[in-house]
Amino acid sequence: MKLVALFDDFLKETVNLNKTRIDLLEASFPALKSFVRESDWKPKVRTFVEQGSWAHETIIRPVDGGEFDADLLVMVDPADGWTAAEYVENLGRVFSGSKTYEDKTKTWDYCVTITYAGDRKIDLAPCVVGRRWDGSMEVCNRKGGFELSAPVDYTAWMKERNTYSGGNSFRKVTRLMKYLRDVKTTFTCPSVLLTTLLGNQIHWFDKDTDAFADVPTTLQTVVGRLDDWLRMHPNRPSVTNPKLSSEDFSPLFGSDDQYSNFRTVIARYRKWIDEAHAMEGRQESIAAWQKVFGEEFGKASVIKVAADAAADGLAKVRGLLSSTAAHLNELVDVVKNYGISVLPLDFCRPPHIRQPTWRQAPNLATVLVTAEWRERRASTGRAIRAGDVLRPHGGLHAFDTDGRPIPPAFEVQWRITNTGAVAMAKGAGRGGFYPENSSHGRWETLDFRGVHLAEAYVVRRSDDVLVGFSKPFYVVIE
């Protein structure tokens, strides 16, 4: 199932950079541009050009809640006699010497980064226009000199692919794949390489076809084609810039092992995406898509279904409690399906339960009960949680205070209460208090179908005062 609406929600609520941060980012640009133009930086500024995911509109929300960044090219005329390093270093000095930016500035090989406290950072990279020939563009590497680039043409290519895909779906799929990379951390692939690989799977003849009908369909088409292409290249292939044939992005894969891992992981995600598409039930499909993207996908829908199920389960429990026969025979199935959280608060106090008669200390301690299912006469068993459904054989060993010994000055009394048709018919509803009958706890056989209770009460021997007790530990027997 495609779940188009849930994909829209997932992008809006989890993947996309939220509008507040976008507004902050856009608000930072005018001041930076004015500062550069009005500074004594020698190169003549032609214009500023957005680059990277910001320009491509594929920027995503940082999965760790950290800083997000944007790239801004400073397009300049050549400065006579300047090396590539001087463009970057002198721009860094201009910002570092400013009262406004001195504590926000960091100079790197290609750019100067301005970091705004705990929120965002902007990379300003000098790009020299017309140094080699009219219209040529070169970014500046402090260590490697001038490097030919085609940032404007690449952005135009990316936008063209998006037009072919329709419904802005290529941009959205690129964001989804970047989110998948960042949240799962199962593969490494820098954004420019990932965007190029995905964009290479879309062609002019794809426009208005069913293979790109919506976001989940575009995702399936693009990832499927990428997997096919990777299968054809067991060894790392070249991935050229579609607008600059001399630039090969393939070194960004990293090592041969990293490329091999990328092939393996894309094949795995293709399989999971195909399975999610093929699922027919809504909840089954949500679970399948969560296998791909994690639990944030469809989270609101899952919570609503769980809430509806709990409400339905509580209504069923209340209905059952109004009919003794139905309650005794069917309550186990309801709890099995919906969990013990559907039980009403007063369920743990049936009419036949006995109240404690000890005097109570002013501040009662909380006792933690844990339990194991054991075969008869076994010394150890399998740990279980309250509400786990058990078969009617073997027994339950309940421990007070998490299995730690109670000091000799105290004793533990266990209130054991049964429910269920068979137990009540045989006069085995119990509800009274019983001493420990094994090491640091009490052993009980699992005899009767029903939802039963075990509670621990700690009594001080010297004056017969109750000093602590536990919450009910629910034991569900089929």
Side-chain angles (χ1 to χ4, degrees):
M1 188 175 290
K2 293 192 291 186
L3 304 177
V4 175
L6 290 188
F7 267 93
D8 290 341
D9 292 341
F10 181 54
L11 283 159
K12 180 180 178 180
E13 302 297 333
T14 303
V15 178
N16 296 347
L17 191 65
N18 54 301
K19 187 177 185 304
T20 300
R21 286 185 155 192
I22 290 174
D23 291 344
L24 286 171
L25 188 60
E26 291 180 340
S28 303
F29 284 155
L32 290 172
K33 293 176 182 179
S34 296
F35 176 80
V36 174
R37 288 187 183 278
E38 295 168 6
S39 73
D40 60 358
W41 191 47
K42 181 178 178 181
K44 179 182 177 181
V45 178
R46 289 193 173 196
T47 188
F48 296 85
V49 174
E50 295 168 3
Q51 187 189 29
S53 59
W54 177 246
H56 306 156
E57 298 180 44
T58 60
I59 193 169
I60 66 171
R61 190 178 310 184
V63 298
D64 59 358
E67 296 170 339
F68 63 98
D69 57 9
D71 301 320
L72 189 64
L73 292 175
V74 188
M75 314 297 284
V76 299
D77 289 334
D80 291 340
W82 271 32
T83 65
E86 286 178 290
Y87 287 90
V88 181
E89 290 170 354
N90 280 290
L91 183 61
R93 290 192 193 103
V94 167
F95 275 98
S96 296
S98 161
K99 294 295 185 182
T100 302
Y101 297 108
E102 60 181 350
D103 60 344
K104 299 180 176 68
T105 301
K106 177 74 174 180
T107 303
W108 305 92
D109 288 343
Y110 288 90
C111 66
V112 175
T113 297
I114 308 300
T115 301
Y116 297 85
D119 186 55
R120 64 201 184 281
K121 57 185 180 181
I122 298 175
D123 297 333
L124 294 98
C127 183
V128 183
V129 181
R131 193 187 74 91
R132 292 199 187 187
W133 62 79
D134 187 30
S136 67
M137 297 182 185
E138 297 170 288
V139 293
C140 303
N141 183 347
R142 293 169 68 193
K143 297 179 180 178
F146 297 99
E147 298 178 1
L148 276 175
S149 184
V152 177
D153 289 342
Y154 183 90
T155 298
W157 172 84
M158 196 278 173
K159 292 179 178 179
E160 182 183 58
R161 302 298 108 176
N162 192 61
T163 300
Y164 295 156
S165 69
N168 208 31
S169 61
F170 173 45
R171 282 195 177 106
K172 294 175 181 178
V173 164
T174 302
R175 291 181 213 144
L176 289 169
M177 292 301 292
K178 289 168 69 173
Y179 174 85
L180 182 60
R181 173 198 64 190
D182 294 351
V183 76
K184 290 293 190 71
T185 66
T186 53
F187 67 90
T188 57
C189 188
S191 293
V192 66
L193 174 58
L194 183 60
T195 301
T196 303
L197 289 169
L198 297 174
N200 283 342
Q201 313 311 317
I202 304 175
H203 313 285
W204 64 267
F205 48 80
D206 288 318
K207 187 173 176 59
D208 299 326
T209 63
D210 291 342
F212 294 85
D214 47 56
V215 172
T217 303
T218 298
L219 176 67
Q220 183 182 39
T221 300
V222 170
V223 173
R225 290 179 180 180
L226 176 58
D227 179 46
D228 289 340
W229 183 83
L230 291 169
R231 289 173 185 269
M232 294 166 54
H233 297 87
N235 298 316
R236 183 172 58 184
S238 62
V239 182
T240 58
N241 183 330
K243 291 299 180 179
L244 186 63
S245 59
S246 62
E247 185 173 21
D248 183 8
F249 294 140
S250 64
L252 299 176
F253 276 121
S255 66
D256 290 340
D257 286 343
Q258 286 173 301
Y259 173 70
S260 178
N261 175 72
F262 181 72
R263 292 177 73 242
T264 300
V265 171
I266 292 299
R268 181 192 311 149
Y269 287 135
R270 178 192 189 171
K271 178 176 179 291
W272 291 353
I273 290 169
D274 288 344
E275 290 172 348
H277 264 268
M279 288 290 177
E280 296 183 357
R282 179 178 175 84
Q283 295 309 310
E284 292 79 4
S285 184
I286 291 175
W289 283 117
Q290 286 183 332
K291 186 176 180 181
V292 179
F293 292 110
E295 293 183 357
E296 290 300 314
F297 182 90
K299 183 177 181 179
S301 180
V302 171
I303 291 173
K304 182 179 184 302
V305 169
D308 290 346
D312 182 46
L314 183 56
K316 288 185 177 181
V317 168
R318 286 171 176 164
L320 291 173
L321 290 176
S322 68
S323 169
T324 303
H327 161 215
L328 298 175
N329 291 318
E330 298 176 15
L331 184 61
V332 169
D333 294 328
V334 175
V335 173
K336 183 177 180 180
N337 290 332
Y338 297 102
I340 58 174
S341 62
V342 301
L343 294 171
L345 293 177
D346 59 354
F347 178 81
C348 61
R349 295 294 179 264
H352 62 282
I353 201 168
R354 298 180 185 176
Q355 297 304 316
T357 58
W358 302 283
R359 290 183 299 115
Q360 295 185 9
N363 298 304
L364 294 177
T366 299
V367 177
L368 176 64
V369 170
T370 59
E372 288 183 349
W373 176 88
R374 295 182 182 179
E375 293 283 4
R376 192 177 297 275
R377 291 187 293 276
S379 59
T380 59
R382 167 174 57 87
I384 67 165
R385 298 170 299 178
D388 284 353
V389 180
L390 305 173
R391 300 292 299 276
H393 71 275
L396 188 76
H397 190 112
F399 301 92
D400 51 76
T401 63
D402 200 19
R404 290 170 294 179
I406 291 289
F410 301 88
E411 65 172 326
V412 177
Q413 291 285 325
W414 289 85
R415 183 163 65 182
I416 306 298
T417 308
N418 291 336
T419 71
V422 177
M424 300 305 290
K426 292 187 175 182
R430 303 174 71 180
F433 294 89
Y434 306 87
E436 291 186 327
N437 60 5
S438 62
S439 177
H440 312 311
R442 182 165 180 87
W443 163 264
E444 290 281 343
T445 57
L446 304 178
D447 294 325
F448 306 116
R449 176 181 172 86
V451 180
H452 313 301
L453 302 92
E455 301 163 275
Y457 287 78
V458 180
V459 179
R460 189 164 54 217
R461 296 179 188 273
S462 62
D463 54 6
D464 209 31
V465 169
L466 179 68
V467 296
F469 69 100
S470 73
K471 294 180 179 180
F473 189 96
Y474 288 98
V475 181
V476 184
I477 303 176
E478 291 186 300

Short mmCIF file of all heavy atoms in Angstrom, two decimals, residues 89 110 228 258 263 304 315 366 401 412 433 451:
data_model
loop_
_atom_site.label_atom_id
_atom_site.label_comp_id
_atom_site.label_asym_id
_atom_site.label_seq_id
_atom_site.Cartn_x
_atom_site.Cartn_y
_atom_site.Cartn_z
N GLU A 89 41.39 32.72 2.17
CA GLU A 89 42.01 33.21 3.39
C GLU A 89 41.67 34.67 3.66
O GLU A 89 41.40 35.05 4.81
CB GLU A 89 43.52 33.02 3.31
CG GLU A 89 43.94 31.54 3.37
CD GLU A 89 45.40 31.32 3.03
OE1 GLU A 89 46.06 32.32 2.64
OE2 GLU A 89 45.87 30.17 3.15
N TYR A 110 37.81 25.32 1.32
CA TYR A 110 37.04 25.88 0.22
C TYR A 110 36.18 27.08 0.62
O TYR A 110 35.71 27.80 -0.26
CB TYR A 110 36.09 24.82 -0.36
CG TYR A 110 36.76 23.73 -1.16
CD1 TYR A 110 37.21 22.57 -0.54
CD2 TYR A 110 36.94 23.86 -2.53
CE1 TYR A 110 37.82 21.57 -1.27
CE2 TYR A 110 37.54 22.86 -3.27
CZ TYR A 110 37.99 21.71 -2.63
OH TYR A 110 38.60 20.72 -3.37
N ASP A 228 19.32 -1.72 -9.86
CA ASP A 228 19.67 -2.38 -11.12
C ASP A 228 21.01 -1.87 -11.64
O ASP A 228 21.85 -2.66 -12.10
CB ASP A 228 18.59 -2.13 -12.18
CG ASP A 228 17.30 -2.87 -11.88
OD1 ASP A 228 17.33 -3.85 -11.10
OD2 ASP A 228 16.24 -2.48 -12.42
N GLN A 258 33.24 0.49 1.31
CA GLN A 258 32.09 1.38 1.49
C GLN A 258 31.18 1.33 0.27
O GLN A 258 29.95 1.38 0.39
CB GLN A 258 32.56 2.81 1.76
CG GLN A 258 33.12 3.01 3.17
CD GLN A 258 33.72 4.38 3.35
OE1 GLN A 258 34.64 4.78 2.65
NE2 GLN A 258 33.19 5.12 4.32
N ARG A 263 26.05 -0.83 -2.23
CA ARG A 263 25.31 -1.71 -3.13
C ARG A 263 24.41 -2.66 -2.34
O ARG A 263 23.24 -2.86 -2.66
CB ARG A 263 26.26 -2.54 -4.00
CG ARG A 263 27.05 -1.75 -5.01
CD ARG A 263 28.03 -2.64 -5.78
NE ARG A 263 27.33 -3.49 -6.73
CZ ARG A 263 27.33 -4.82 -6.70
NH1 ARG A 263 27.95 -5.47 -5.72
NH2 ARG A 263 26.70 -5.51 -7.63
N LYS A 304 -3.04 6.62 17.03
CA LYS A 304 -4.49 6.69 16.98
C LYS A 304 -5.11 5.30 16.99
O LYS A 304 -6.09 5.04 17.70
CB LYS A 304 -4.95 7.45 15.74
CG LYS A 304 -6.47 7.62 15.64
CD LYS A 304 -6.88 8.39 14.41
CE LYS A 304 -8.38 8.64 14.40
NZ LYS A 304 -9.17 7.40 14.45
N ALA A 315 -13.96 -0.85 26.53
CA ALA A 315 -15.41 -1.01 26.40
C ALA A 315 -15.79 -2.48 26.50
O ALA A 315 -16.80 -2.83 27.13
CB ALA A 315 -15.88 -0.41 25.08
N THR A 366 7.49 1.20 48.44
CA THR A 366 6.99 0.49 47.26
C THR A 366 7.86 -0.74 47.01
O THR A 366 9.09 -0.63 46.92
CB THR A 366 7.01 1.38 46.02
OG1 THR A 366 6.17 2.51 46.25
CG2 THR A 366 6.50 0.63 44.80
N THR A 401 10.86 -7.48 46.18
CA THR A 401 12.01 -6.56 46.16
C THR A 401 13.08 -7.00 45.15
O THR A 401 14.26 -7.02 45.44
CB THR A 401 12.66 -6.42 47.56
OG1 THR A 401 13.18 -7.68 47.98
CG2 THR A 401 11.66 -5.90 48.56
N VAL A 412 7.44 -11.36 54.47
CA VAL A 412 6.61 -11.01 53.31
C VAL A 412 5.38 -11.90 53.31
O VAL A 412 5.47 -13.13 53.40
CB VAL A 412 7.39 -11.16 51.99
CG1 VAL A 412 6.48 -10.85 50.80
CG2 VAL A 412 8.60 -10.25 51.98
N PHE A 433 -4.04 -13.93 52.39
CA PHE A 433 -2.60 -13.71 52.52
C PHE A 433 -1.90 -15.02 52.83
O PHE A 433 -2.36 -15.82 53.64
CB PHE A 433 -2.34 -12.67 53.61
CG PHE A 433 -2.85 -11.31 53.25
CD1 PHE A 433 -4.15 -10.93 53.56
CD2 PHE A 433 -2.03 -10.41 52.57
CE1 PHE A 433 -4.62 -9.68 53.22
CE2 PHE A 433 -2.51 -9.15 52.22
CZ PHE A 433 -3.80 -8.79 52.55
N VAL A 451 -7.59 -14.00 34.77
CA VAL A 451 -6.62 -12.92 35.03
C VAL A 451 -6.47 -12.83 36.54
O VAL A 451 -7.39 -12.39 37.24
CB VAL A 451 -7.11 -11.59 34.45
CG1 VAL A 451 -6.09 -10.48 34.73
CG2 VAL A 451 -7.36 -11.71 32.94
#
